[in-house]
Amino acid sequence: MTVEGVPSSADDEQCSPSTAAELLLRAAHNHPDNGVGYLGDDPEAAPQTMRYPHLLAEATRLLHALRGRGARPGRAVALLLEQPRDFLPALWACLLGGLTACPLTPLREDPQRWAAQLRNVAALLDDPLVLTTPELRAHMPTGARLDVVDLTELTTGDTQQLSVDVVARPEDVALLVLTSGSTGTAKAVQLTHANLVASMRAKAEAHRAGPDDITFNWVSYDHVAAVLEGHLLPVATSATQLHIAPQSVLTDPVVFLRALSAHRVTATFTPNFLLGLINARLGASPLADALDLSHVHRIISGGEANPVATGVRFLELLAQHGLPRTALWPAFGMTETCAGSLYNREFPDADADGEFAAVGRPVTGLEVHIADPATGAAPSAGTPGEVWLRGPMVTTGYYRDAAATAAALTPEGWLRTGDLGVLNGDRLTLVGRSKDSIIVNGVNYYSHDLESVLVEVEGVARSFVAAFPVRPPDCDTEQLAVLFASTVLDEELPHVVARVRDRVVLHWGFRPAVVLPLPRSEFPKTSLGKVQRGVLRARWEAGSYTERAHEVAALVADTVGGHTDPQGPTETALAEIYAELFGLSAISATTGFFDLGGTSLDVLRLARTVRARLGVELPVLDVLRAPSVRELARLIGAPATADRAYDPVVTLQASGEGTPLFCVHPGVGEVLVFVNLAKHFARERPFHALRARGFNPGEKPFGSFTEMTRSYVAAIRRVQPHGPYALAGYSFGAAVAFEIAKVLEADGERVAFLGSFNLPPHIKYRMDELDFVETAVNLAMFLGLVDVDEAGRLPGRLRSLPKNEQIATLLNLAPPGRLAQLNLDLPRLTAWADLAHGLTSLGRTYYPTGQVRAMTVFCADPLRGTRHDWVQKELRRWDEHTREPVQYVDVLGEHYSMIGPRHVHAFAALLRAELARAFSETALDPGAT
């Protein structure tokens, strides 16, 4: 079945532009008082405004400067710019000058993934110019050969004499938009000026948009809806537009509503998941102050399916604030169709009988065809098929990727969307997807990307993994199901389930709703051995695996104990916070934070949420010492001086029958670095970390290496009075672990395992290099405030500054949100740097003597030089200090990333194997396998 949007009879001024550049020229000429407003931290405050003539002037200035930098028509310019006031003028400089803009988002929290992104961009775009800010340029990882320029370098002479010189043509590629969601190699959707103009004309007609509109955007510019729906459309209609940083809305969804009310917004866009967040927030805590949403004409909601119940609840909750019942428009669009291209203006009345809202009718010029994916033929009326789209707003293909273009576009120009739908007249309803992706919170994630990572998890059978979307009842967004075959017995399955869940969290940033081990016989495969995800998904939805899911849930429940209801207001509040963090409906008061799958990042999120909800400063150590709701509530309610005596031992996980493992902190003194590693030993052996003295108020740091060693030995023996012992140390901690082992062996105890995580015995020479500035910079690098390359440049820059300014500079360089995650400010970071400097000073007086029985050294890339030289000239000097041959084990990553999120799974497997080998000589370790 095929339909086409109703042609417009209007022949107005929107028909005249042929390039996107002309849209801005027209807006600046016809409506010079309208423009772009930038909202700050207070969403209700007056915005900083750049009117359209000023935006045109700034874009023209940048274009002349880019030309002076060698940018010629047709060259790709990657826009690595986070703030609207930087991004939008740069975008228009490209559109005016016939340059091809490619928006990028910095992946600050994952430097390795960011480096891979930049290498891909360099290869795909063929020598692009990367336009960024000085701050982002300083944080960019090295490795990709890119021509980078920052905005401060783009200067021109007399800006009053610059003329607007539009050289773009309709057929020129205006935008390259990288496909989102996968950490694999992205494709680039190419959108021409003709695509953009056709789309804007059709959108404006569908929205009935005009210059009196006030629009609001909070979505980041790597999302096509932000660039086109949130910015280019109001330019095309000469409307006033407002923009705010995404984090402002994601941190507090009510900010979205406050901005709509305060600025009398008439139109906005948001994925459905935000509606669900707002519903949950208002359902739990109605707004105390009045909002006026009566002027909101349309809230376009696309990017993922829209459950009818979510939309209706949203409209009901906000009706008392004047939101019209017709204001919510479910929609559909893709990057390949210039974002929104079908709109449902009849919601909710026309969708009352459905679970999901229809996506509506196509815009003018867009054809919709329901096809059999194999033949292209139309099925009988009312029968679902693959949605194919064709029209002037549809992409011409993927940049420099003929294979992907041929797979997506038929010879007749139809775009295969991969979505399944059914037409009722000209009204489209989606009923599923044929392509292998999951949409969570409006972002596409690709099944193959995750599956390639999960097959490396210990206990998962290779080629027997399937990741696909599910939508549990009453859920506002799709969720992830992971089915896999295991290589272990049922009693070991909880370990593997936890590893799979944690790997998803660390790789994609959210928890799967379903993690289910199945027999290999349950995995249907094609003749080529490919797992048929669609069959597994159909079986799951039909309830075929319900019994197995209950069996696995019971196994997992047995490992964390039964359910205990929270008691009292603090326990109840903490249980609600835990439930939100882990996406669960109920939390037992006695279940441990890490048993639920908590990661080191979750610890920081918990501390931040507790501070916001309960007004309590929650030290990271408190979560580590008291991980259950009940324990943490008791600690929060205790007097400030109670139960706070210094104890070096922090138990990161207590379950398991194996000999406990004690790991000594690195040179920064903190133990949060071990959290993700400890999770891999749950129900195998307890994992304890040793934390330096001096973090808590009134604690005096250690005065000597010997005092530190004796304190740690005493603490270890309080937990485990006698051997055999298992010890390890990360970086600086390896020397301390060596000294602890010497003391224990001198006392007649057996140290069955001693590990060094990439540290040689002679640390004095390295410690001598580390003055306070070097130590503070290394601490900042350890905390993710600066990257490795920046850390190499900073000491020389900082040494001439007073101490407070040194630390303040490090804080100022931190990625947005990182300081809030870590609960860091100037006094806290200064105190931490002082403590780390004190430990460094102890290392300057340390010289290794004597021997221990045996040792394992885990070898990663060094801070500088080659791994070969590091191992042969430095790490192998441990041979002088053992009576038996040292075991040298190569591990993935660098010194600072070897047990980080990217490599912790591989490291844990190697550490487990070495523990098993070391304990194979004795039958005293039940955990040795």
Side-chain angles (χ1 to χ4, degrees), residues 443-508:
V443 178
N444 281 291
Y445 297 87
Y446 295 96
S447 300
H448 65 83
D449 171 53
L450 181 64
E451 291 164 355
S452 67
V453 171
L454 294 183
V455 296
E456 303 297 332
V457 173
E458 187 177 4
V460 173
R462 295 187 69 87
S463 81
F464 287 88
V465 181
F468 54 80
V470 295
R471 188 183 287 270
D474 303 321
C475 188
D476 297 310
T477 189
E478 281 188 349
Q479 296 190 15
L480 171 66
V482 176
L483 275 52
F484 68 95
S486 74
T487 59
V488 302
L489 300 175
D490 266 10
E491 55 264 30
E492 296 297 315
L493 280 179
H495 303 254
V496 185
V497 169
R499 289 176 201 143
V500 169
R501 178 193 58 209
D502 295 345
R503 194 68 182 100
V504 175
V505 172
L506 293 170
H507 189 62
W508 276 356

Side-chain angles (χ1 to χ4, degrees), residues 718-734:
R718 285 194 295 271
V719 176
Q720 184 187 346
H722 298 288
Y725 288 99
L727 309 170
Y730 180 24
S731 192
F732 175 93

